[in-house]
Amino acid sequence: MTYEEISHHRLVSQKLYKTDQCSPQQIVRHLGAMQAQDYAMAKWAIGSRCDASEKEIEEAINSAQIIRTHILRPTWHFVSADDIYWMLDLSGPQVQKMTISAVKKYGFDIKKLDKTINSIEKLLPGNTHLTRDEIMQELDIKRTSKEDFLSAAIMMHAELDGLVCNGKMKGKQITYALLEERVKKPKTNFTKEEALAKLAKRYFESHGPATLLDFSWWSGFSPTICKKAINAIELQISSADINNQTYYFTSQGSNENSFRESVHFLPAFDEILISYKTREASFLSDHQTKVFTNNGIFKPIILENGKVIGIWKRTIKKDHAKIETEFFNETENSKKEILFEGIKSFEKYLETKVIIE
């Protein structure tokens, strides 16, 4: 297997070829968890893989078919309502180690943190949806500066406890609501080993071919734990070696008949890059600094046949969206016109005119 083959397989497994009709929730469920700290761009990560508009995706989020919460790693993710409870049971305790450590800087021990979480629970019954600032105001917790991480850490801890999740948007503001009022708790529970195996299978189905270290990075679990999860599903996945690295994948993501010429304008922090520890299959090392910064800020990318060839940004105007592009190599205008065909799906998603500059 070559890096080119890996990049093509990933386009299939990540559903960027749109070979079948999927709803927004089905896309999120397939991918397991989609990084979503940049809310506007994260919605497009879903939209780029299905034919839903931004409004339809927002409706799926507001109606709790898709949950936006902290899970796996200490950052926002989209998760399907079908998966939220078992994934939280699995990854919540490990990510909470970070939130517990963070609040100590503000004089919160575990007893005080638990008392604060209990107070939040009393604020939200009856489908009450409050912003973080509204909750902190009720708790009489004042923000001392823009850099104050206390309120964010408290709410993250409450999310990881399975107490709260995103509520309905209040204008452009994110709200919180009680998770059990948004999503019914399932009757079936998994052991940690069962959940890890389920997570591993989901990851390699939706992100393969990928390595052990890729899965460890994405899931937040140590390589030792991830290796055990891979061993548990070894009869359900395939593998191939390249440069002394073993890549795992499932047969459903390796249909060579699905490969074709393609151009994708993908959002910042898209799973096609963010979900892998190393990214040799997607771009040349010379271009790394243009794709993401040293402190982990990923930019929107232009992908041609699985390879990053440039970056782009959007500016939303009153009656249109302006798109600006930067290609890594000199590109002829005739070639650009072909590449810009890839932006048509974004125009449909936004339901507004797109102007390229």
Side-chain angles (χ1 to χ4, degrees), residues 223-256:
T224 301
I225 291 174
C226 289
K227 181 59 177 173
K228 291 179 180 177
I230 291 172
N231 289 342
I233 62 167
E234 62 181 348
L235 296 179
Q236 302 173 62
I237 57 177
S238 302
S239 65
D241 292 336
I242 175 173
N243 292 348
N244 298 317
Q245 285 277 0
T246 302
Y247 287 79
Y248 302 94
F249 55 94
T250 60
S251 57
Q252 70 174 33
S254 60
N255 182 1
E256 294 185 7

Coordinates of all heavy atoms in Angstrom, one line a residue, residues 223-256:
P223 N -1.3 4.2 23.8 CA -1.1 3.1 22.8 C -1.2 1.7 23.3 O -1.7 0.8 22.6 CB 0.4 3.4 22.4 CG 0.6 4.9 22.6 CD -0.2 5.2 23.8
T224 N -0.9 1.5 24.6 CA -1.0 0.2 25.2 C -2.5 -0.2 25.2 O -2.8 -1.4 24.9 CB -0.4 0.2 26.6 OG1 1.0 0.5 26.5 CG2 -0.6 -1.2 27.2
I225 N -3.3 0.7 25.7 CA -4.8 0.4 25.7 C -5.3 0.2 24.3 O -6.2 -0.7 24.1 CB -5.5 1.5 26.5 CG1 -5.1 1.5 28.0 CG2 -7.0 1.4 26.3 CD1 -5.7 2.6 28.8
C226 N -4.9 1.1 23.4 CA -5.4 1.0 22.0 C -5.0 -0.3 21.4 O -5.8 -0.9 20.6 CB -4.9 2.2 21.2 SG -5.7 3.7 21.7
K227 N -3.8 -0.8 21.6 CA -3.3 -2.1 21.1 C -4.2 -3.2 21.5 O -4.6 -4.1 20.7 CB -1.9 -2.3 21.5 CG -1.3 -3.6 20.9 CD -1.4 -3.6 19.4 CE -0.7 -4.9 18.8 NZ -0.9 -5.0 17.3
K228 N -4.7 -3.2 22.8 CA -5.6 -4.2 23.2 C -6.9 -4.2 22.5 O -7.5 -5.2 22.2 CB -5.8 -4.1 24.8 CG -4.5 -4.4 25.6 CD -4.8 -4.2 27.1 CE -3.6 -4.5 27.9 NZ -3.8 -4.3 29.3
A229 N -7.4 -2.9 22.3 CA -8.7 -2.8 21.5 C -8.5 -3.3 20.1 O -9.5 -3.9 19.6 CB -9.1 -1.3 21.6
I230 N -7.4 -3.0 19.5 CA -7.2 -3.5 18.1 C -7.1 -5.0 18.1 O -7.7 -5.7 17.2 CB -5.9 -2.9 17.5 CG1 -6.1 -1.4 17.3 CG2 -5.5 -3.6 16.2 CD1 -4.9 -0.7 16.9
N231 N -6.4 -5.6 19.1 CA -6.4 -7.1 19.2 C -7.7 -7.7 19.3 O -8.0 -8.8 18.8 CB -5.5 -7.5 20.3 CG -4.0 -7.2 20.1 OD1 -3.6 -7.0 19.0 ND2 -3.2 -7.1 21.2
A232 N -8.6 -7.0 20.0 CA -10.0 -7.5 20.2 C -10.8 -7.6 19.0 O -11.8 -8.3 18.9 CB -10.7 -6.7 21.3
I233 N -10.5 -6.7 18.0 CA -11.2 -6.7 16.7 C -10.4 -7.2 15.5 O -10.8 -6.9 14.4 CB -11.8 -5.3 16.5 CG1 -10.6 -4.3 16.3 CG2 -12.7 -4.9 17.6 CD1 -11.1 -3.0 15.7
E234 N -9.3 -7.8 15.8 CA -8.4 -8.2 14.7 C -9.0 -9.0 13.6 O -8.6 -8.9 12.4 CB -7.1 -8.9 15.2 CG -7.4 -10.2 15.9 CD -6.1 -10.8 16.5 OE1 -5.0 -10.3 16.1 OE2 -6.2 -11.8 17.2
L235 N -10.0 -9.8 13.9 CA -10.7 -10.6 12.9 C -11.7 -9.8 12.1 O -12.1 -10.3 11.0 CB -11.4 -11.8 13.6 CG -10.5 -12.8 14.3 CD1 -11.4 -13.9 14.9 CD2 -9.5 -13.4 13.4
Q236 N -11.9 -8.6 12.5 CA -12.9 -7.8 11.8 C -12.3 -6.7 10.9 O -13.0 -5.9 10.2 CB -13.9 -7.1 12.8 CG -14.6 -8.1 13.6 CD -15.4 -7.4 14.7 OE1 -16.3 -6.6 14.5 NE2 -15.1 -7.7 16.0
I237 N -10.9 -6.6 11.0 CA -10.2 -5.5 10.2 C -9.1 -6.1 9.4 O -8.7 -7.3 9.7 CB -9.7 -4.4 11.1 CG1 -8.8 -5.0 12.2 CG2 -10.9 -3.6 11.8 CD1 -8.2 -3.9 13.1
S238 N -8.6 -5.4 8.5 CA -7.5 -5.8 7.6 C -6.3 -4.9 8.0 O -6.5 -3.9 8.6 CB -7.8 -5.7 6.2 OG -8.9 -6.5 5.8
S239 N -5.1 -5.2 7.5 CA -3.9 -4.4 7.8 C -3.0 -4.4 6.6 O -3.0 -5.4 5.8 CB -3.2 -4.8 9.0 OG -2.7 -6.1 8.9
A240 N -2.1 -3.4 6.5 CA -1.1 -3.4 5.4 C 0.1 -2.6 6.0 O -0.1 -1.7 6.9 CB -1.6 -2.7 4.2
D241 N 1.3 -2.9 5.6 CA 2.5 -2.2 6.1 C 3.0 -1.2 5.1 O 3.1 -1.5 3.9 CB 3.5 -3.2 6.5 CG 3.1 -4.1 7.7 OD1 2.3 -3.6 8.5 OD2 3.6 -5.2 7.8
I242 N 3.5 -0.1 5.5 CA 4.2 0.9 4.7 C 5.2 1.6 5.6 O 4.9 2.1 6.6 CB 3.2 1.9 4.0 CG1 4.0 2.9 3.3 CG2 2.3 2.5 5.0 CD1 3.1 3.9 2.4
N243 N 6.5 1.6 5.1 CA 7.6 2.2 5.9 C 7.6 1.8 7.3 O 7.7 2.6 8.3 CB 7.5 3.7 5.8 CG 7.8 4.2 4.4 OD1 8.3 3.5 3.5 ND2 7.5 5.5 4.1
N244 N 7.5 0.5 7.6 CA 7.5 -0.1 8.9 C 6.4 0.3 9.8 O 6.5 0.2 11.0 CB 8.8 0.2 9.6 CG 10.0 -0.4 8.8 OD1 10.0 -1.5 8.4 ND2 11.1 0.4 8.7
Q245 N 5.3 0.8 9.2 CA 4.1 1.2 9.9 C 2.9 0.3 9.5 O 2.8 0.1 8.3 CB 3.7 2.7 9.7 CG 4.6 3.7 10.4 CD 4.2 3.9 11.8 OE1 3.2 3.3 12.3 NE2 4.9 4.7 12.5
T246 N 2.2 -0.2 10.5 CA 1.0 -1.0 10.1 C -0.2 -0.1 10.1 O -0.5 0.6 11.1 CB 0.8 -2.1 11.2 OG1 2.0 -2.9 11.2 CG2 -0.4 -3.0 10.8
Y247 N -1.0 -0.2 9.0 CA -2.2 0.6 8.8 C -3.4 -0.4 8.8 O -3.4 -1.4 8.2 CB -2.2 1.3 7.5 CG -1.3 2.5 7.5 CD1 0.1 2.4 7.3 CD2 -1.8 3.8 7.6 CE1 0.9 3.5 7.3 CE2 -0.9 4.9 7.6 CZ 0.4 4.7 7.5 OH 1.3 5.8 7.5
Y248 N -4.4 0.0 9.6 CA -5.6 -0.9 9.8 C -6.8 -0.2 9.1 O -6.9 1.0 9.0 CB -5.9 -1.1 11.3 CG -4.8 -1.7 12.1 CD1 -3.9 -0.9 12.8 CD2 -4.6 -3.1 12.2 CE1 -2.8 -1.4 13.5 CE2 -3.6 -3.6 12.9 CZ -2.7 -2.8 13.6 OH -1.7 -3.3 14.3
F249 N -7.6 -1.1 8.5 CA -8.8 -0.6 7.8 C -9.8 -1.7 7.7 O -9.5 -2.9 8.0 CB -8.4 -0.1 6.4 CG -7.7 -1.1 5.6 CD1 -8.4 -1.9 4.7 CD2 -6.3 -1.2 5.7 CE1 -7.7 -2.8 3.9 CE2 -5.6 -2.1 4.9 CZ -6.3 -2.9 4.0
T250 N -11.0 -1.4 7.3 CA -12.0 -2.4 7.0 C -12.3 -2.5 5.5 O -12.0 -1.6 4.8 CB -13.3 -2.1 7.7 OG1 -13.8 -0.9 7.3 CG2 -13.2 -2.0 9.2
S251 N -12.8 -3.6 5.1 CA -12.9 -3.9 3.6 C -13.9 -2.9 3.0 O -13.8 -2.5 1.9 CB -13.4 -5.3 3.4 OG -14.6 -5.6 4.1
Q252 N -14.9 -2.5 3.8 CA -16.0 -1.6 3.3 C -15.4 -0.2 2.9 O -16.0 0.5 2.1 CB -17.1 -1.4 4.3 CG -16.7 -0.6 5.5 CD -17.9 -0.3 6.4 OE1 -18.8 -1.1 6.5 NE2 -18.0 0.8 7.0
G253 N -14.2 0.1 3.5 CA -13.6 1.4 3.1 C -12.5 1.3 2.1 O -11.7 2.2 1.9
S254 N -12.4 0.1 1.4 CA -11.3 -0.1 0.5 C -11.7 -0.5 -0.9 O -11.1 -1.3 -1.6 CB -10.3 -1.1 1.1 OG -11.0 -2.3 1.3
N255 N -12.9 -0.1 -1.3 CA -13.4 -0.4 -2.6 C -12.8 0.4 -3.7 O -13.0 1.6 -3.9 CB -15.0 -0.2 -2.7 CG -15.6 -0.6 -4.0 OD1 -14.9 -1.1 -4.9 ND2 -16.9 -0.5 -4.1
E256 N -11.9 -0.2 -4.5 CA -11.1 0.6 -5.5 C -12.0 1.1 -6.6 O -11.6 2.1 -7.3 CB -10.0 -0.3 -6.1 CG -8.9 -0.7 -5.0 CD -7.8 -1.4 -5.6 OE1 -7.7 -1.6 -6.9 OE2 -6.9 -1.9 -4.9

